[in-house]
Structures are given as structure tokens and as C-alpha cells.
């Protein structure tokens, strides 16, 4: 083995082992953010934006929890669970929205969430191979997020859009989003936002990335 690669591997093992000993009780954090708006005669629409690809994938596979609280009470309760469309639902929405490129992109991404392509190390290409793989993953993730922002059908099909039709106009509510199943890699930080159920009300204070 090339001495350069031996040194890199040895350094990496020392770094990761020492880091794990220092922070063995500390788990990295993944934020789940959401934004919203009030739609007259419909309710409050939420769009969901996990900041990590693994968090997004867990939510797409197992679903997200929609939690709501009356403003000021900080007493969040689960009001619903949202999941991605079933195979039949995907087929129906694609047939109703022919030539919708955002929806097609969303379906392609959803179909490939279990196809893990990143993280393969190549001794010939070295670190550049990993950097290229990571760049592709980051690009796909960003396209996915932008697609969910732009197209409500895509967001709905992916389980990243929810309309709370149980609100009372004029009242103010706080929302936050959780995962149905645990993320074993990250501690989940569900970032809340508050919005009033009135015409023209929007809440974009949470940056989506």
C-alpha cells in the first residue's frame, strides 16, 4: 500500500476514535424546519424541510409527525401523521399531471432513496472520488428541496406538505415536525414556527437550508 494512503488511514482512525471518546455521549443534531401560510377556506399549509439527507429519507420511508400547540402554551400534541404516497397514489397523480417535470423529479428521487451510492473509497482516485460522490449527493438533495418548494403536488406526494383544516380563523397556532421513527444517527431538533389563521398570513422565518 502506498505510504501516503497508510498515513491518511492511520490519521483518520486516530482522529475518529479520539473524537468518539470525547463526544461519545453527544450525538450530532439534525433540524427539521417548516414554513407555512394560511389558505382561505382550506386551512394552514405546512411545507417540511429536513436539513439532512438521512433525516429526509427516514421521513419519506416512515412518515412525519405533525405537532401543534396553541400559541404561548408550548404544549405540543400530535395532530396527524403524513407519509409519502403509495404506488397507486403516485401513479394517479402522475397521470393527472402529465409533463410535470418537478413531479417526475420527485418520483425519481423517492424511488432511489434506498439505493445508497455514496461513500465508496477508491485507492486509485483517492479523496477526489469521495468529494465527487458527496457533491452529487448534495446536488440531488438541493434539487429535491427546491422541487418541494416549487411544486405543491410534488411536496404532497412526498409527504412534505400538510394542510391543517381544523384551525379556527383568527386564532394563532405553533407547529413543529417530528419523525415517526427514530434517526439513530442524529438527535432531531424540531424547530417550531407560529402563524395566525388569517387571509394573507405567511410564515417563512425558518430558512429551509
Amino acid at each position: 500500500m502506498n505510504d501516503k494512503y497508510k498515513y491518511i488511514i492511520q490519521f483518520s482512525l486516530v482522529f475518529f476514535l479520539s473524537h468518539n471518546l470525547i463526544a461519545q455521549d453527544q450525538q450530532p443534531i439534525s433540524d427539521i424546519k417548516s414554513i407555512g401560510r394560511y389558505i382561505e377556506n382550506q386551512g394552514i399549509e405546512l411545507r417540511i424541510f429536513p436539513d439532512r439527507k438521512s433525516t429526509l429519507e427516514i421521513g419519506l420511508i416512515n412518515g412525519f409527525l405533525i405537532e401543534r400547540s396553541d400559541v404561548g402554551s408550548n404544549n405540543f400534541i400530535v395532530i396527524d401523521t403524513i407519509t409519502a404516497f403509495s404506488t397507486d397514489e403516485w401513479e394517479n397523480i402522475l397521470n393527472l399531471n402529465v409533463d410535470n417535470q418537478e413531479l417526475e423529479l420527485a418520483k425519481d428521487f423517492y424511488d432511489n432513496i434506498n439505493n445508497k451510492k455514496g461513500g465508496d473509497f477508491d485507492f486509485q482516485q483517492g479523496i477526489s472520488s469521495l468529494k465527487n460522490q458527496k457533491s452529487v449527493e448534495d446536488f440531488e438533495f438541493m434539487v429535491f428541496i427546491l422541487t418541494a418548494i416549487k411544486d405543491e403536488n410534488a411536496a404532497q406526494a412526498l409527504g412534505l406538505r400538510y394542510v391543517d383544516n381544523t384551525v379556527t380563523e383568527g386564532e394563532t397556532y405553533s407547529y413543529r415536525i417530528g419523525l415517526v421513527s427514530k434517526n439513530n444517527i442524529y438527535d432531531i431538533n424540531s424547530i417550531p414556527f407560529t402563524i395566525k389563521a388569517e387571509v394573507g398570513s405567511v410564515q417563512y422565518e425558518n430558512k429551509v437550508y
Side-chain angles (χ1 to χ4, degrees):
M1 182 186 295
N2 187 297
D3 288 340
K4 178 175 68 174
Y5 290 124
K6 286 183 180 179
Y7 172 78
I8 292 173
I9 293 171
Q10 290 170 352
F11 174 80
S12 299
L13 287 172
V14 171
F15 175 79
F16 286 120
L17 287 173
S18 61
H19 177 75
N20 185 58
L21 289 173
I22 294 172
Q24 58 184 344
D25 295 327
Q26 299 178 0
Q27 199 164 2
I29 293 173
S30 176
D31 294 335
I32 301 181
K33 302 177 182 180
S34 52
I35 59 176
R37 62 175 177 168
Y38 179 72
I39 303 175
E40 190 173 11
N41 299 322
Q42 293 188 43
I44 293 176
E45 177 196 26
L46 311 180
R47 298 284 181 100
I48 301 167
F49 300 100
D51 70 339
R52 304 281 186 174
K53 189 170 183 284
S54 68
T55 304
L56 171 64
E57 290 172 349
I58 291 171
L60 291 179
I61 294 169
N62 298 314
F64 293 97
L65 300 174
I66 310 298
E67 300 180 350
R68 189 181 76 187
S69 169
D70 292 333
V71 67
S73 72
N74 200 36
N75 182 28
F76 285 92
I77 61 172
V78 176
I79 62 169
D80 211 341
T81 300
I82 185 170
T83 59
F85 277 7
S86 66
T87 301
D88 289 342
E89 289 173 321
W90 271 110
E91 184 176 348
N92 289 337
I93 197 170
L94 287 168
N95 288 336
L96 291 172
N97 296 272
V98 179
D99 298 327
N100 183 326
Q101 294 184 348
E102 285 78 19
L103 194 56
E104 292 175 1
L105 278 173
K107 183 61 164 63
D108 288 342
F109 185 94
Y110 180 75
D111 287 343
N112 288 318
I113 57 175
N114 289 316
N115 182 19
K116 305 296 184 184
K117 296 177 290 185
D120 296 325
F121 185 75
D122 187 317
F123 278 103
Q124 299 300 319
Q125 298 184 40
I127 195 69
S128 63
S129 174
L130 291 176
K131 289 172 67 176
N132 289 336
Q133 292 175 59
K134 187 65 171 63
S135 294
V136 170
E137 283 192 354
D138 289 345
F139 177 74
E140 288 178 347
F141 179 71
M142 183 55 62
V143 169
F144 180 82
I145 292 297
L146 293 175
T147 298
I149 294 172
K150 183 178 179 182
D151 191 272
E152 69 176 35
N153 286 320
Q156 187 77 45
L158 291 163
L160 297 175
R161 177 180 184 265
Y162 178 79
V163 177
D164 181 5
N165 58 11
T166 67
V167 300
T168 301
E169 189 164 359
E171 296 295 320
T172 302
Y173 302 91
S174 294
Y175 294 90
R176 69 184 186 190
I177 311 300
L179 290 175
V180 170
S181 60
K182 182 178 174 59
N183 185 335
N184 293 320
I185 301 174
Y186 298 101
D187 282 334
I188 299 301
N189 181 30
S190 301
I191 299 179
F193 78 94
T194 300
I195 186 170
K196 188 173 184 178
E198 64 179 6
V199 176
S201 183
V202 297
Q203 183 52 265
Y204 298 146
E205 67 180 22
N206 285 337
K207 295 182 178 180
V208 299
Y209 70 91

